[in-house]
Amino acid sequence: ELIATLRASSTLKPVILKARIPLVPTSEKVVAFCDKVAARHANAHAITNCGLVMRLDGTTIKKAICIFGGLNSSIYKMKKIESSLIDAQVTAQTTLSNAIAALRTSSTDGNSYEADLGTSFLYKWFVCAIDPSSSIITSLAFDRPETESSYDINGATDPNNDPASMPRTKLAARLQASGEAKYCTDVVKAKNEVFCAFAYAKSAGTLTSISTTSALRVLNTVIVYTALDLIDAYGAVGTMADDDDPLLYELNQNVFVGARVAIAVATTYEDAIQAARAVVITIDTNC
């Protein structure tokens, strides 16, 4: 369940300004699932995608959130599916069947390729929610219809369609799919070229110390920077995107899992990764 604050405009679509994720009772289980299917040469644009959340109390579905894109002209909250799932047993064969029926009656064309994809998403969502050892996994497969092996996106080049929703062919996609693309590792290394890798916090709390001694001993390591090193050298830490996202977090700051705390520089990418992993980070998790 995601509670979001939206900014609305007469000319622009709503934009999420902030979001609050409530805590879930320990007696309940939440199964979140998202997926998409796209043409390989335009994989930034999904033919159909979904975001599905199921809250379970034992095997009883207490709440469901089902959002699909591509089944209609816009992102669509499938209230019929949600209603069909409330208080139903996730292990009952009829529960998935009822959800599929609700999906097909809610989509623009219930027999379309997009609806078939949506059905496969529901199936995979249920598989994630059920104990793998349960025999119901096998019986659920009977409710999953066959889908087409290929599909052409209708109206993809229609100028009357919203340009923002039209598939955009990725220029390098065909080369990448055929193995003929050139990646940065294929480019001849420049003179004095170095590689960088971040060292990340592995827990949340207050950053109390950073030791780069072991990292500097890694073969081909040039230097390891902390926020203090950047302040001494350049007068500031700098940011990745905005003032709320510093390039490196400083000592005594509160950090989250994955927060950047050091940068390792080495003459090979592999050694930069190893040096970053060798940085010793101490975090007070009792704050």
Side-chain angles (χ1 to χ4, degrees), residues 36-47 153 166-171 173-174:
K36 75 170 185 177
V37 172
R40 187 169 187 177
H41 65 281
N43 60 10
H45 178 88
I47 299 170
I153 303 173
M166 290 171 60
R168 300 296 182 184
T169 299
K170 184 178 176 183
L171 296 179
R174 295 189 185 280

Side-chain angles (χ1 to χ4, degrees), residues 122-132 137 140:
L122 288 177
Y123 171 76
K124 289 189 282 186
W125 183 34
F126 270 68
V127 169
C128 292
I130 298 173
D131 185 342
I137 292 290
L140 281 180

Side-chain angles (χ1 to χ4, degrees), residues 5-284:
T5 302
L6 300 178
R7 181 184 66 199
S9 170
S10 58
T11 57
L12 299 175
K13 293 182 178 180
V15 175
I16 297 177
L17 298 180
K18 63 180 180 180
R20 177 169 61 87
I21 304 176
L23 293 176
V24 178
T26 55
S27 61
E28 297 182 357
K29 173 185 176 182
V30 173
V31 180
F33 176 82
C34 61
D35 204 350
K36 75 170 185 177
V37 172
R40 187 169 187 177
H41 65 281
N43 60 10
H45 178 88
I47 299 170
T48 304
N49 54 15
C50 73
L52 308 171
V53 178
M54 181 189 302
R55 181 177 290 183
L56 294 169
D57 186 356
T59 59
T60 302
I61 303 173
K62 305 304 293 183
K63 187 166 185 176
I65 300 175
C66 305
I67 300 175
F68 284 85
L71 297 183
N72 293 279
S73 59
S74 61
I75 297 175
Y76 193 69
K77 194 171 188 290
M78 296 289 193
K79 294 183 179 180
K80 289 184 178 180
I81 300 177
E82 295 172 356
S83 298
S84 73
L85 295 175
I86 300 302
D87 293 327
Q89 295 297 309
V90 71
T91 53
Q93 296 182 24
T94 55
T95 303
L96 177 59
S97 300
N98 292 338
I100 292 172
L103 179 144
R104 293 190 179 278
T105 58
S106 300
S107 61
T108 302
D109 180 358
N111 295 316
S112 67
Y113 178 74
E114 292 91 341
D116 285 345
L117 293 177
T119 298
S120 70
F121 294 158
L122 288 177
Y123 171 76
K124 289 189 282 186
W125 183 34
F126 270 68
V127 169
C128 292
I130 298 173
D131 185 342
S133 63
S134 174
S135 60
I136 194 66
I137 292 290
T138 303
S139 59
L140 281 180
F142 290 107
D143 289 321
R144 181 171 181 250
E146 295 291 331
T147 56
E148 301 283 342
S149 59
S150 62
Y151 174 68
D152 291 326
I153 303 173
N154 294 325
T157 57
D158 185 348
N160 294 320
N161 290 339
D162 183 358
S165 64
M166 290 171 60
R168 300 296 182 184
T169 299
K170 184 178 176 183
L171 296 179
R174 295 189 185 280
L175 289 174
Q176 291 173 346
S178 62
E180 298 175 0
K182 179 177 286 189
Y183 296 89
C184 60
T185 53
D186 298 322
V187 178
V188 177
K189 186 178 177 182
K191 183 179 180 180
N192 297 326
E193 181 178 354
V194 293
F195 298 81
C196 299
F198 285 112
Y200 299 101
K202 295 181 175 61
S203 58
T206 302
L207 182 62
T208 58
S209 70
I210 307 170
S211 174
T212 61
T213 303
S214 297
L216 290 169
R217 293 172 180 166
V218 174
L219 184 67
N220 297 321
T221 299
V222 177
I223 194 170
V224 180
Y225 289 107
T226 64
L228 183 61
D229 296 324
L230 295 181
I231 293 173
D232 290 342
Y234 305 106
V237 175
T239 61
M240 291 290 285
D242 53 48
D243 292 338
D244 294 328
D245 188 24
L247 181 64
L248 295 177
Y249 281 78
E250 301 176 45
L251 292 178
N252 300 318
Q253 282 188 321
N254 291 330
V255 297
F256 51 89
V257 176
R260 299 174 295 272
V261 298
I263 304 175
V265 183
T267 55
T268 71
Y269 177 68
E270 292 77 11
D271 290 326
I273 293 291
Q274 290 300 318
R277 291 174 177 171
V279 175
V280 179
I281 304 164
T282 305
I283 294 174
D284 181 4

